[in-house]
């Protein structure tokens, strides 16, 4: 919100325009108030929506990623009855015009969304205000530690200055003020001390062995649980400040890296919500055991297939503890120290601007990023198609949870973490706390594969790099032939047919309605069990960009598998 009397600077207006357009695009994509279904093209450059009390004209252009249209400018026209159309070009005006009426549930969600938009705007302005200093610090630190997890942590800071590929208010952390963002948010690259909560040892369920540096209490019946200082303050926990263990936030913010050892991370409950008001950043105890179980399963699978045995890596997530309370829990994550001489880059940072004046992927590729992107996409697509078609597994490994590992000789590997959101079919005898992780419908695997692996990890980086002017291929050109080759390598029969029908030749692809499920409407209203897996079947299939390829994969599959049951 603009401070009363403050002059609207160009930078101020530009930030608001960015949020305005991203919010409007998301509302159009998720069909808020019927913006899509009750809209029609009005010439080449406009879309007109007729609601029950107003008519809206939106300037549009073709998109093709998550929706067939997106806005072309941060404005639209609103008209009530026969009144003169009014220009809407401020965020507050947008939030007023598009507010639901006579719907208490929707109005409650909209009030939370208004706060979310204001939080997004404030976070962006604060980050922009301090960006030059942060970038200078990142550049200086990289000169000393360019590789391994120390280098990866610097790139997570850069990624925190970029937008989420889909969610329009990803920089909002609900309830945090400027001082708290500066103290704890990754875009500000702070260093701070953990807090420690004295807890009766009998109340703690501990799995794995704690490291030697873990502080003790001197009392064999009491142990110290690590607590994020923000959580300690907001929940008024009786946490202590000593002994001092300094940490730095990763891109996820609730996970912190030890300042003295960037290969050791702690995932901690955080008293806020991100990517939606309902997306609370606490830690349900069951997610710890589920993530451990899937982590061990994936290690066995990768080790058993020569194509992946030495190329798919996993952080060790076998040490964790909790008291049965999702605000008093932790995961100790250990990364392989053998990565020290490799470049380790989070996928979320590939298209991020680098302090050197290029992008992160150009820096780590030493120029032309296309060979590196080819190697990344080859391995990404092959591994995830293999998991789905051979093993009935779809990972919720989004761009924040995968690191690209570039070894000194130029070889490329992938490093994974956080496996508690995976979906597995019934063949796996793995004990899971969250029953939603086990699926009977193979279509659920297709949805996770498409919305996470394809949209966020494969297509989104290509589109972001293209938007920055890099000569990278379109998603169709980069992905379709890799998907066909992986399908043919790993499956036949019914599995391959499903893959073709739901991915390659589908008329539309599923998209996540992140605003609707995360903030705007309750789960029982929209009928979803998991707010992070609420889909709309309206995404254009960008894999069918070339009309000459449409149906070709189906014909080839039919010829290849004519006799396959």
């Amino acid at each position: 919100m603009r401070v009363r009397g403050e002059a609207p600077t160009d930078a101020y207006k530009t930030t608001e325009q960015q949020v305005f357009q991203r919010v409007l695009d998301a509302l159009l994509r998720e069909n808020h108030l019927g913006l899509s279904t009750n809209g029609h093209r009005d010439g080449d450059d406009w879309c007109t929506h007729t609601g029950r009390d107003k008519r809206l004209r939106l300037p549009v252009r073709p998109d093709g990623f998550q929706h067939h249209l997106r806005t072309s400018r941060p404005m639209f026209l609103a008209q009530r009855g026969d009144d003169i159309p009014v220009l809407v070009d401020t965020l507050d005006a947008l939030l007023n015009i598009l507010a639901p009426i006579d719907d208490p549930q929707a109005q409650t969600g909209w009030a939370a969304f208004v706060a979310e938009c204001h939080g997004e705007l404030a976070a962006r302005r604060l980050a922009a205000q301090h960006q030059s200093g942060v970038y200078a610090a990142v550049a200086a630190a990289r000169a000393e530690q360019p590789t391994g997890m120390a280098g990866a942590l610097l790139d997570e800071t850069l990624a925190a200055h970029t937008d989420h590929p889909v969610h329009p208010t990803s920089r909002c952390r609900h309830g945090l003020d400027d001082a708290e963002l500066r103290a704890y948010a990754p875009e500000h690259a702070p260093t701070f001390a953990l807090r420690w909560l004295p807890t009766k040892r009998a109340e703690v369920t501990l799995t794995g062995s704690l490291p030697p540096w873990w502080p003790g209490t001197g009392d064999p019946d009491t142990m110290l649980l690590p607590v994020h200082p923000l959580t300690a303050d907001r929940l008024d926990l009786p946490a202590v400040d000593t002994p001092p263990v300094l940490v730095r936030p990763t891109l996820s913010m609730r996970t912190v890296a030890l300042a003295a050892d960037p290969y050791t991370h702690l995932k901690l409950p955080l008293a806020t919500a991100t990517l939606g008001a309902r997306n609370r950043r606490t830690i349900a105890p069951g997610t710890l055991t589920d993530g451990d179980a899937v982590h061990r399963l994936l290690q066995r699978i990768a080790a058993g297939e020569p194509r992946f045995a030495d190329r798919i890596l996993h952080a060790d997530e076998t040490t964790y503890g909790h008291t049965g309370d999702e605000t008093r829990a932790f995961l100790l994550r250990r990364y392989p120290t053998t990565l020290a001489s490799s470049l380790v880059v989070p996928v979320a940072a590939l298209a991020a601007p680098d302090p050197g004046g290029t992008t992160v992927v150009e820096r780590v590729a030493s120029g032309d990023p296309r060979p590196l992107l080819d190697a990344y996409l080859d391995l990404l697509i092959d591994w995830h198609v293999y998991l789905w078609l051979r093993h009935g597994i779809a990972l919720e490994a989004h761009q924040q949870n995968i690191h690209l590992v570039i070894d000194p000789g130029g070889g490329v590997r992938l490093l994974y973490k956080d496996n508690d959101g995976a979906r597995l079919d019934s063949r796996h005898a793995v004990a899971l706390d969250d029953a939603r992780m086990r699926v009977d419908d193979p279509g659920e695997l297709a949805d996770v594969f498409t919305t996470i692996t394809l949209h966020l990890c494969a297509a989104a980086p290509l589109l972001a790099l293209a938007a920055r002017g890099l000569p990278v291929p379109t998603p169709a050109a980069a992905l379709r032939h890799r998907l066909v080759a992986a399908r043919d390598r790993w499956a036949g029969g019914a599995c391959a047919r499903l893959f073709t029908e739901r991915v390659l030749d589908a008329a539309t692809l599923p998209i996540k309605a992140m605003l609707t499920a995360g903030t705007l409407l309750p789960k029982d209203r929209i009928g979803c069990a998991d707010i992070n897996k609420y889909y709309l079947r309206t995404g254009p299939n960008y894999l069918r960009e070339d009309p000459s390829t449409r149906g070709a994969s189906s014909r080839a599959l039919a010829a290849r598998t004519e006799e396959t049951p």
Side-chain angles (χ1 to χ4, degrees), residues 15-33:
T15 302
E16 181 169 355
Q17 289 168 349
Q18 291 170 348
V19 177
F20 181 106
Q21 198 159 0
R22 284 177 58 79
V23 165
L24 187 55
D25 283 341
L27 294 172
L28 177 64
R29 180 172 64 241
E30 297 192 21
N31 198 32
H32 173 67
L33 299 182

Side-chain angles (χ1 to χ4, degrees), residues 215-365:
T217 65
D219 178 358
D221 295 327
T222 303
M223 69 174 292
L224 295 177
L225 294 185
V227 180
H228 196 289
L230 181 69
T231 302
D233 290 343
R234 286 180 167 254
L235 300 185
D236 197 24
L237 299 178
V240 297
D241 297 325
T242 56
V245 176
L246 298 181
V247 295
R248 294 185 58 192
T250 67
L251 183 55
S252 76
M253 190 166 164
R254 69 172 164 176
T255 298
V256 296
L258 267 61
D261 177 13
Y263 293 85
T264 300
H265 291 194
L266 281 165
K267 182 177 179 180
L268 305 170
L270 193 64
T272 186
T274 61
L275 299 181
R278 293 186 179 86
N279 237 333
R280 297 183 304 124
R281 311 316 291 175
T282 52
I283 299 178
T287 64
L288 298 170
T289 55
D290 288 348
D292 184 9
V294 176
H295 155 243
R296 294 173 189 269
L297 174 64
L298 294 173
Q299 282 190 312
R300 292 195 298 270
I301 290 173
E305 171 50 54
R307 291 180 69 90
F308 306 119
D310 298 320
R311 303 187 67 199
I312 299 299
L313 308 175
H314 296 274
D316 184 330
E317 299 184 339
T318 59
T319 300
Y320 47 88
H322 64 84
T323 64
D325 180 343
E326 62 184 39
T327 66
R328 294 169 174 83
F330 71 89
L331 167 66
L332 180 67
R333 179 179 292 138
R334 298 178 176 99
Y335 288 96
T337 56
T338 52
L339 299 174
S341 60
S342 302
L343 291 170
V344 184
V345 186
V347 170
L350 291 175
D354 187 74
T358 61
T359 59
V360 168
V361 72
E362 290 173 283
R363 186 194 76 238
V364 298

Side-chain angles (χ1 to χ4, degrees), residues 510-562:
I511 64 169
K512 283 190 176 188
M514 299 182 77
L515 281 188
T516 302
T519 301
L520 297 181
L521 295 174
K523 288 196 296 185
D524 59 356
R525 170 83 170 260
I526 57 179
C528 76
D530 184 340
I531 62 173
N532 291 310
K533 294 179 178 64
Y534 173 58
Y535 307 113
L536 302 179
R537 310 285 171 181
T538 55
N541 190 345
Y542 48 81
L543 300 172
R544 304 173 67 202
E545 185 177 276
D546 181 355
S548 67
T549 68
R550 295 182 183 178
S553 57
S554 295
R555 293 190 294 272
L557 177 65
R560 189 173 67 85
T561 63
E562 188 173 7

